[in-house]
Amino acid sequence: MAALKSMTRNSLLLGWWSPMSLFFGNPITLILNFCTWLSIRRLPAPGSQPATGFAAPAALPSPPPPGYGQPQQWPQHQPPQWPQR
């Protein structure tokens, strides 16, 4: 949250130095920062709710079969054979 406030403050103070920034870059940055701020505010406070929906796996998955993931031999490229005149 501190980084978001710091970057927004810098954009407000220093982001207006060129015409492109005045009309395009800085307003877009400020709108995106505001949207980010709104999404951060919707998050629950840390430690206020237990994590739900994620369970630890019951057991480790079985290992892959031998040779799985090994590179295969590609056939050698043959140049095209053009007909002789």
Side-chain angles (χ1 to χ4, degrees):
M1 194 68 171
L4 179 66
K5 286 180 183 178
S6 170
M7 294 176 85
T8 303
R9 184 178 335 112
N10 287 343
S11 293
L12 282 170
L13 295 175
L14 303 173
W16 308 98
W17 289 102
S18 73
M20 291 295 285
S21 294
L22 179 64
F23 295 109
F24 298 108
N26 206 32
I28 292 172
T29 300
L30 293 174
I31 290 169
L32 291 175
N33 284 355
F34 181 71
C35 293
T36 303
W37 179 74
L38 288 177
S39 65
I40 289 174
R41 288 197 40 129
R42 286 189 206 116
L43 293 174
S48 65
Q49 294 178 350
T52 58
F54 297 101
L60 294 175
S62 60
Y68 180 79
Q70 297 294 323
Q72 298 176 357
Q73 284 287 4
W74 288 86
Q76 296 295 323
H77 175 69
Q78 298 294 327
Q81 299 295 322
W82 299 102
Q84 299 293 327
R85 287 188 184 204

